[in-house]
Amino acid sequence: MAVELFNNGKHACLAFYDLVDEEADHAVQCNQFLIVDGEHGALIDPGGNMTYNGLLMSMQRFFPSRGLDYIFATHADPDIIASLNKWMVSTHCKVMISRLWTRFVPHFTTGKDYSARILGIPDEGMNIPLGESKIKAVPAHFMHSEGNFQFYDPVSKILFSGDMGASLVDHRQAAEPVRDFDDHVITMAGFHRRYMISNKICRFWVNMVRQLDVEMIVPQHGCRFEGKVMVNRFLDWIEQLPCGIDILTQDNYRAP
C-alpha cells in the first residue's frame, strides 16, 4: 500500500514500504518512490526484481506506468535498480544516474542497447524537468557510493536521501515517521558508521542540505524524518558522527 507523502492536487509524492520479502532476513527492507506532476512521473530507486511486480501494480492507482518519464537512481546497487531491464521493456522511460555508472547499469539488462535512454548526471548535479516542476539531483558522493545522488523536490520540499538517514527496521515501522529521535538512533548508528565514508563528507553534505528548504528527509531504507525539527535533529546527529575511515585501524586490515 502506498503512503502519500505530499499531494496538492497537481503534484504528488508517494512511498512504497512493503514490497520486499524481509522474513527471516531474506532481504533488506527498502523503499520505492513515485513523483507525479500532472501527466508526468518519475520513480526513484525502483528496486530489484522482487519489488517490480508489486510496484508496477501499485503505482497504476496514481500514474500509468506506460507514461513514466524517468527512473532516478541514487546509485547502482541491486536494491536500487536491479529491475532495470523490466522497466526498460515495459515503459519508454529514461534512467538518470551518476555518469560514473552509465556503463555499468547495462549489466542489469539483457544486452539490448539502451544507451540513448541511460543519461549520466554530472558530478555537480543538475535540475531535471518533470512536468511543470524541476527535480534537483544533488551530490551525495561517497555516501556510500563514489557516484551518488539524492533527489530534492522543491514543490513538496522532500529530500529523497538514498542511504543517508537509513534505518534497519521492518516495513511496518518504516511506513511511520520518526517520532522519538533518541530511540531511533539505535536503528541507524551501526549502518551509518559502516556505510558513510567519513565525518568530513557528512559535514559537507549537512552544509549543503541546510541551504535547501527541506520539510522531510525520506531515506531508501526505514523511516522518514518529518518537519524541520526532526530534520534538524538528524542533521545535527550525522554532522557529529565519526564513521567510515574515521574509525578504521590497522586491525581492520589483517589477513585471516
Side-chain angles (χ1 to χ4, degrees), residues 197-215:
I197 194 170
S198 71
N199 179 254
K200 174 183 177 180
I201 298 302
C202 292
R203 294 197 311 271
F204 288 161
W205 177 81
V206 168
N207 291 340
M208 176 188 69
V209 173
R210 291 196 194 280
Q211 303 305 309
L212 301 171
D213 185 7
V214 177
E215 288 286 348

Side-chain angles (χ1 to χ4, degrees), residues 30-239:
C30 59
N31 312 319
Q32 300 78 41
F33 308 105
L34 172 66
I35 302 178
V36 177
D37 190 276
E39 297 181 354
H40 299 269
L43 287 172
I44 301 177
D45 294 348
N49 290 317
M50 71 169 60
T51 62
Y52 173 77
N53 288 335
L55 182 57
L56 182 69
M57 291 185 292
S58 297
M59 69 179 289
Q60 307 300 335
R61 293 178 49 212
F62 310 98
F63 187 80
S65 59
R66 65 182 180 276
L68 192 67
D69 293 80
Y70 295 110
I71 286 174
F72 298 151
T74 53
H75 54 295
D77 277 1
D79 62 314
I80 299 294
I81 202 172
S83 60
L84 177 64
N85 192 70
K86 293 182 177 180
W87 292 106
M88 298 305 264
V89 171
S90 64
T91 77
H92 297 288
C93 74
K94 295 177 180 176
V95 179
M96 305 288 300
I97 193 168
S98 166
R99 62 185 177 190
L100 295 183
W101 295 117
T102 54
R103 294 177 63 206
F104 290 83
V105 294
H107 287 277
F108 287 125
T109 73
T110 57
K112 183 178 178 180
D113 184 3
Y114 288 120
S115 55
R117 294 170 60 190
I118 301 174
L119 309 180
I121 303 172
D123 279 351
E124 62 272 20
M126 63 184 293
N127 292 310
I128 306 170
L130 182 69
E132 296 182 2
S133 67
K134 289 184 179 180
I135 307 301
K136 291 183 176 292
V138 298
H141 308 309
F142 297 102
M143 297 186 300
H144 63 99
S145 171
E146 49 269 66
N148 203 83
F149 285 93
Q150 299 167 354
F151 298 96
Y152 174 67
D153 175 12
V155 177
S156 65
K157 301 181 181 180
I158 295 174
L159 176 63
F160 295 94
S161 61
D163 284 330
M164 180 56 88
S167 52
L168 302 181
V169 299
D170 65 29
H171 70 271
R172 288 173 291 273
Q173 293 171 276
E176 298 295 326
V178 177
R179 303 190 192 283
D180 184 330
F181 185 84
D182 293 328
D183 186 57
H184 187 66
V185 165
I186 299 169
T187 69
M188 297 192 296
F191 179 92
H192 286 78
R193 289 191 181 106
R194 182 60 186 260
Y195 281 82
M196 301 300 129
I197 194 170
S198 71
N199 179 254
K200 174 183 177 180
I201 298 302
C202 292
R203 294 197 311 271
F204 288 161
W205 177 81
V206 168
N207 291 340
M208 176 188 69
V209 173
R210 291 196 194 280
Q211 303 305 309
L212 301 171
D213 185 7
V214 177
E215 288 286 348
M216 196 182 305
I217 293 178
V218 184
Q220 192 246 345
H221 302 283
C223 307
R224 62 193 179 274
F225 303 90
E226 287 189 354
K228 291 192 183 297
V229 171
M230 198 61 76
V231 165
N232 285 322
R233 286 294 305 275
F234 175 72
L235 296 179
D236 292 343
W237 177 76
I238 196 65
E239 189 174 33

